[in-house]
Amino acid sequence: MARRKDPAVRTLLLERAARMLRDREPITLRSLVEGTGVSTMAVYTYFGGIDGVWRALRQEGFTRLAARLEALVVPADPVEDLVAGVAAYAVNALEHPDLYRVMFDATVELEDIDAAEATLGYLVRAAHRCRDAGRIGADVDPARLGTDVWTVCHGILSLIVSRVASRRTLASGIHLLTAVIVAAGDDPALCRRSVEAGWIALRPPQGSTATASTSTR
C-alpha cells in the first residue's frame, strides 16, 4: 500500500531549500534533510529528486502569489484594482524573498507554466476594467498595460530583494505607476488617488522619502 504523503513535509523541505539558497549553502540530498527529521528518501517521495525540488521551489512562488491574488477583495475603482494586484505581488515577494528570486530563474523548468502565467492575468483583467470604464484610452492594449505596471513593480522589488535599495524605495511606486497609467489616458489627479488607494499596503513608514537608499534596514 502506498504511503500517504504529508503536505507539511513537502512545505518543510521547500522552505528549507529556500533558506539554504538565501544563505548560499550548497543543496544536496543530505544537506537538504539535515535537521528536518526526515530521510533523504523524502526528497524522492515528494519531488523525485533534487531537480524536482528546484522545479517545485520555483512553482511555489507562483502558487503563493496566486493564493494572495485570489484573496483580494476587488474594489469598485478599476485603477485601484490594477494597483492592488501589483501591490499583492509585491507583498508576496517581500514576505518570501527567497522564493521570489527563484520564481524568475529561467534555467529551472516550471511544473505548471499556465498557472504561473495566470498570475499576470489578474493585472490584465483589471486593465480591461480600466478600459471598459473609460479610465484609459480605448486603443490601449490591456495586456500591455498589465505588463507595464508589473514591470514597474518588478523593477522596484528586484532592487529591494537584492538589497541594493531599502524598502523606502517602495514609495517611488506611487509616482511611477501613476505616470504609466496616466500615459495610458487616465486623469492625473484621479489616477493619483486611485494608485495611492491600491498601493496602501506597501506605503513606507511615515516620514520616509521616495529616494532609493543603499541601506538594507
Side-chain angles (χ1 to χ4, degrees):
M1 182 176 179
R3 193 174 188 179
R4 186 176 180 180
K5 293 183 179 180
D6 182 354
V9 174
R10 184 179 188 277
T11 299
L12 171 68
L13 292 173
L14 283 177
E15 292 184 346
R16 173 160 172 75
R19 287 195 301 271
M20 294 176 71
L21 194 66
R22 176 194 60 199
D23 296 336
R24 300 181 185 278
E25 296 179 20
I27 299 178
T28 65
L29 283 173
R30 290 187 179 280
S31 65
L32 181 58
V33 302
E34 184 178 355
T36 64
V38 299
S39 69
T40 55
M41 184 55 66
V43 179
Y44 290 99
T45 300
Y46 290 89
F47 306 104
I50 286 294
D51 287 346
V53 172
W54 288 112
R55 289 192 296 271
L57 199 60
R58 188 181 181 199
Q59 193 74 44
E60 184 69 13
F62 287 102
T63 297
R64 295 188 186 191
L65 172 57
R68 186 173 293 278
L69 289 170
E70 289 172 6
L72 287 177
V73 176
V74 180
D77 182 333
V79 173
E80 180 183 344
D81 183 24
L82 176 61
V83 176
V86 289
Y89 171 91
V91 170
N92 186 69
L94 294 172
E95 289 185 354
H96 309 291
D98 307 321
L99 290 177
Y100 178 75
R101 294 186 185 95
V102 181
M103 283 170 69
F104 302 99
D105 182 356
T107 64
V108 178
E109 291 183 5
L110 280 166
E111 294 179 329
D112 186 347
I113 191 169
D114 291 336
E117 292 179 346
T119 56
L120 178 60
Y122 184 101
L123 304 182
V124 175
R125 288 192 297 274
H128 268 287
R129 288 187 62 209
C130 293
R131 190 175 67 178
D132 293 344
R135 292 290 297 272
I136 60 175
D139 60 342
V140 173
D141 179 4
R144 175 63 183 270
L145 180 58
T147 301
D148 286 348
V149 296
W150 169 75
T151 301
V152 167
C153 186
H154 181 68
I156 294 171
L157 288 168
S158 295
L159 291 172
I160 295 171
V161 170
S162 62
R163 300 183 181 181
V164 172
S166 76
R167 291 198 181 196
R168 293 186 181 89
T169 311
L170 290 168
S172 63
I174 294 175
H175 170 71
L176 294 172
L177 290 169
T178 298
V180 168
I181 300 170
V182 167
D186 199 14
D187 174 76
L190 182 58
C191 184
R192 175 79 181 199
R193 290 195 293 272
S194 297
V195 170
E196 288 180 343
W199 197 246
I200 190 169
L202 288 167
R203 284 181 181 169
Q206 187 174 3
S208 67
T209 66
T211 304
S213 168
T214 56
S215 170
T216 59
R217 292 186 288 178

